[in-house]
DNA sequence: GGCTACGATGACAACGTTGTCAGGGACACG
DNA sequence: CGTGTCCCTGACAACGTTGTCATCGTAGCC
């Protein structure tokens, strides 16, 4: 800015005025300044500006499990869209479900003075965020609650969705149902398991006829779980998330059994498989929209009590869930 | 920092020393400072630090077309991994293939003083970047060259990949092949079209027996194109990218014809469809790794001449491409 | 002519941090 | 006791901006 001022023969403050479109600059002067800016390729240093103005970095932090998972990349897209409307950029990072990394990344975001934080919590304890929240950084938890920290939360109806899946299978005559879920340390996995049990209870399925194999899962563990389930005459399966459902499909392709199947999380091409895969769907992008909406409301000063939003899940029957035993 | 200093009864500089693990602070003093930091929840302001030190924001900008496209989210993941190794965060944004937005976002990244820029160019002209590059911001173009701006570029072998696809189909007896590509304004689409034509020429397919329908495409335009192609006895198709291939599959599901099919870009579940989809595969994450690797080399001072890297594509035969006419 | 009003511009401080350098106390040595 | 050395600490400036306030010149008015 100094250089620009010197070249244009004005003071640095006048350059600042031009850059900020402030009124009260002679048109001729402004032209000179603009010419100098152009020829020097000057670009205002946002860091310094933020420092001086003291408020916003026009950035929000998004911490999730893995960007390359379609569920999270859809979510990211949703967040990005809202952020752009509010003139913010999105700083994103993947925690890989590791609480230590998550903590480190979140604190790094805070040190960069993001305007707000969107977090898919990894692990049960988010205590380190309490100080940040007290300090005024708005936080919204996505997909899972913050555990020991209270803040706005946007969830999906994990329990209801899984219950729907069980009810649907029961309606089609299944009395022996298997559930393959993720590590129950993960909130959504635990909730879906709860929904599974509750659903079985409501459908009058005996305690001995519901089978749950919780993860983490790879194709090998899925294969093992499946064989055990088939041995106990399971005729229908529920995949606890998109990764597991796809793993299931891959393993099933190499086995003779053709059980009914419902997956939690919709995924691309589910409708083109044979049979098309019935899923419990929810909208990742909408989740991003909702969470970012909440965050920007907070950023703009909304200080109403914390709100928990639960987005509905819906059953999309496509064929695989309508197979009778 | 002031508050911490006051509470600990030391000067602000000593706090700075403690925060930066500088040597020469009495252990007792350091403990007091740490206690004060803890009790006040102090977190160093990175913006101010960067301003003072004048160098790095520990951030790189990643500008792509759409994060929610699996190709780009895989790429993002690759970039993120390398960035983390180098202690950087990733600021990402989607341009939606709109040159105006791309320009705006890229300049915004520059104003934030990112350490480097990874760009999937939208549109043919990247001239606005020239000034930034001169000013010392390293730029790496991904997936498409920068057009009027020269900088490191990491591409995939679009021409070679498409030629491979054509050759593969020709080997299986096809003499009438259709290519559904994206808008030829997009570099990759134009290159793949070129590969298609070149491949046909080499396979001895007559000029009148190759059909190209360039996009942008939706299911409707794909349907129209397909009917026209079938009318001219096309027996094999190439999908120009993951979106188009999936659109093709969806449209074909509602038609009686079962042509051979090869898709450019691998996609999840391609192996589980019926028939499994043969694709030209390349590794989006590897693309991200390579590009980020280049960028960090530049950031760390590598000033060798610009390099163009072309990552290989490979044909993954799965069934759909091995159907004979 | 002397006054105010106003438009254009600049000097200076401040944002939160760190690099430089100087100060002060303790200790050893001559 | 004076001097030099080492360790610890603090005062101050600077990074690139912008907000506040002062200054200057000119025009308009009585």
């Amino acid at each position: 800015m100094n250089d620009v001022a010197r070249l244009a023969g004005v003071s640095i403050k006048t350059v600042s005025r031009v850059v900020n479109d402030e009124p009260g600059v002679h048109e001729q002067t402004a032209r000179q300044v603009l010419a100098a800016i152009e020829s020097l390729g000057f670009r205002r240093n946002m860091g310094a500006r933020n420092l001086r103005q003291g408020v916003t970095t026009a950035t929000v932090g998004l911490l999730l499990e893995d960007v390359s998972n379609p569920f999270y990349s859809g979510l990211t897209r949703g967040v990005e869209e809202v952020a752009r409307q509010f003139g913010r950029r999105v700083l994103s990072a993947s925690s890989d479900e590791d609480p230590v990394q998550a903590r480190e990344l979140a604190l790094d975001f805070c040190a960069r003075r993001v305007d707000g934080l969107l977090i898919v919590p990894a692990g049960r304890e988010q205590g380190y965020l309490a100080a940040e929240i007290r300090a005024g950084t708005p936080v919204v938890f996505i997909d899972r609650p913050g555990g020991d920290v209270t803040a706005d939360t946007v969830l999906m109806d994990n329990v209801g969705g899984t219950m729907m899946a069980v009810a649907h299978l029961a309606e089609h005559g299944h009395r022996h149902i298997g559930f393959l879920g993720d590590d129950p340390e993960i909130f959504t996995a635990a909730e879906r398991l709860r929904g599974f049990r509750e659903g079985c209870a409501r459908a009058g399925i005996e305690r001995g006829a519901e089978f749950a194999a919780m993860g983490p899962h790879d194709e090998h563990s899925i294969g093992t779980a499946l064989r055990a389930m088939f041995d106990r005459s399971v005729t229908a399966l529920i995949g606890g998330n998109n990764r597991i459902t796809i793993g299931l499909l891959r393993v099933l392709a190499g086995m003779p059994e053709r059980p009914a199947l419902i997956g939690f999380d919709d995924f691309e091409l589910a409708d083109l498989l044979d049979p098309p895969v019935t899923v419990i769907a929810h909208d990742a992008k909408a989740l991003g929209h909702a969470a970012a909406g909440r965050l920007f409301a907070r950023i703009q000063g909304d200080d109403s009590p914390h709100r928990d939003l639960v987005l509905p899940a819906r059953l999309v029957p496509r064929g695989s869930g309508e197979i009778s035993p």
Side-chain angles (χ1 to χ4, degrees), chain A residues 13-45:
Chain A
K13 175 65 211 192
T14 299
V15 177
S16 169
R17 272 191 262 264
V18 173
V19 171
N20 291 312
D21 267 338
E22 280 176 41
V25 178
H26 197 81
E27 195 184 333
Q28 163 95 29
T29 317
R31 261 201 304 276
Q32 280 170 26
V33 171
L34 287 173
I37 287 178
E38 186 65 28
S39 90
L40 265 56
F42 166 81
R43 204 86 57 198
R44 167 174 62 192
N45 182 327

Side-chain angles (χ1 to χ4, degrees), chain A residues 6 27 53 100 107 114 151 245 280-281:
Chain A
R6 204 171 316 123
E27 195 184 333
Q53 312 216 109
V100 178
L107 291 182
V114 293
T245 305
I280 304 298

Side-chain angles (χ1 to χ4, degrees), chain A residues 47-68:
Chain A
R49 174 174 225 255
N50 293 332
L51 180 58
R52 177 64 236 252
Q53 312 216 109
V55 274
T56 170
T57 52
T59 308
V60 299
L62 171 61
L63 181 57
L64 28 73
E65 191 199 332
D66 176 10
V67 232
S68 69

Side-chain angles (χ1 to χ4, degrees), chain A residues 14-203:
Chain A
T14 299
V15 177
S16 169
R17 272 191 262 264
V18 173
V19 171
N20 291 312
D21 267 338
E22 280 176 41
V25 178
H26 197 81
E27 195 184 333
Q28 163 95 29
T29 317
R31 261 201 304 276
Q32 280 170 26
V33 171
L34 287 173
I37 287 178
E38 186 65 28
S39 90
L40 265 56
F42 166 81
R43 204 86 57 198
R44 167 174 62 192
N45 182 327
M46 286 291 266
R49 174 174 225 255
N50 293 332
L51 180 58
R52 177 64 236 252
Q53 312 216 109
V55 274
T56 170
T57 52
T59 308
V60 299
L62 171 61
L63 181 57
L64 28 73
E65 191 199 332
D66 176 10
V67 232
S68 69
N69 181 319
F71 173 67
Y72 291 112
S73 67
L75 195 157
T76 304
R77 181 62 204 243
V79 170
E80 222 184 59
E81 286 176 2
V82 179
R84 185 171 312 163
Q85 276 172 31
F86 286 85
R88 258 77 166 193
R89 293 285 99 79
V90 178
L91 211 46
S92 62
S94 305
S95 71
D96 286 321
E97 207 68 79
D98 172 352
V100 178
Q101 259 189 35
R103 180 195 155 107
E104 195 180 299
L105 290 167
L107 291 182
D108 178 281
F109 284 161
C110 291
R112 288 161 190 272
R113 295 293 189 275
V114 293
D115 295 344
L117 227 35
L118 292 162
I119 299 192
V120 178
R124 294 241 170 256
E125 277 155 41
Q126 263 44 63
Y128 59 92
L129 283 174
E132 303 302 333
I133 294 174
R134 261 201 316 278
T137 308
V139 173
V140 174
F141 291 115
I142 306 186
D143 195 40
R144 313 166 187 174
D148 48 353
V149 171
T150 54
D152 289 326
T153 307
V154 183
L155 303 173
M156 283 168 330
D157 188 4
N158 294 293
V159 175
T162 324
M163 285 175 62
M164 242 188 284
V166 176
H168 192 72
L169 292 171
E171 272 170 33
H172 285 80
H174 296 277
R175 317 302 303 165
H176 297 258
I177 303 181
F179 177 79
L180 281 91
D182 208 338
D183 185 342
E185 276 298 299
I186 300 172
F187 171 80
T188 50
E191 286 287 286
R192 292 171 195 178
L193 176 60
R194 195 153 72 78
F196 172 66
R197 295 228 164 100
E198 178 71 19
C200 286
R202 294 223 187 153

Side-chain angles (χ1 to χ4, degrees), chain A residues 79 231 234 301:
Chain A
V79 170
D231 284 350
V234 160

Side-chain angles (χ1 to χ4, degrees), chain A residues 304-323:
Chain A
S304 57
H306 296 308
R307 209 175 301 170
D308 282 7
L309 206 60
V310 178
L311 300 189
R314 65 183 206 287
L315 187 122
V316 181
R318 294 204 176 106
S320 74
E322 292 71 43
I323 296 174

Side-chain angles (χ1 to χ4, degrees), chain A residues 272-288:
Chain A
L272 286 184
L273 292 172
D274 180 30
V277 180
T278 297
V279 298
I280 304 298
H282 44 79
D283 187 344
K285 199 163 157 184
L287 193 63

